Amino acid sequence: MICSYCGTEGLEDSCSFCEASLNIKRPKLKEFVVLEDVEKPFDDLVCFHTYDLLVLLRLVRKERTKAYDLMLTLKKAGKSHLN
């Protein structure tokens, strides 16, 4: 068996180099990740591939930035309306 983390070959139950367990099912990449996946419980998110979690984080940050920019726009509009 080959370690999926470090590539060490000829292993049985755990990697002798990085000590990773080789009997655990590794998450597979999803075809796509949507923003609604953020609402899933932690137990479901644990099963996501690391790359999928990074894509989900990018989507969440994009939404947060849009919300912040909208808040600033409304704040500026409120100030200009008072003047």
Side-chain angles (χ1 to χ4, degrees):
M1 192 177 282
I2 298 173
C3 179
S4 59
Y5 289 110
C6 66
T8 305
E9 296 181 18
L11 304 170
E12 295 297 321
D13 293 332
S14 65
C15 179
S16 58
F17 180 73
C18 68
E19 299 179 0
S21 175
L22 303 178
N23 296 328
I24 297 174
K25 183 182 171 199
R26 304 286 179 224
K28 302 289 183 210
L29 281 171
K30 298 184 180 305
E31 284 190 36
F32 58 92
V33 179
V34 293
L35 189 59
E36 286 75 29
D37 288 337
V38 171
E39 303 295 328
K40 291 187 176 185
F42 178 77
D43 293 337
D44 291 345
L45 292 174
V46 168
C47 299
F48 278 42
H49 190 277
T50 304
Y51 182 78
D52 291 331
L53 291 173
L54 289 171
V55 170
L56 192 58
L57 179 62
R58 181 176 49 101
L59 292 172
V60 169
R61 286 180 171 169
K62 186 186 287 186
E63 282 299 310
R64 182 187 64 187
T65 300
K66 282 199 280 188
Y68 181 76
D69 290 344
L70 181 61
M71 181 192 69
L72 287 179
T73 303
L74 290 173
K75 196 173 185 179
K76 286 179 185 177
K79 285 182 180 179
S80 67
H81 180 67
L82 294 175
N83 291 334

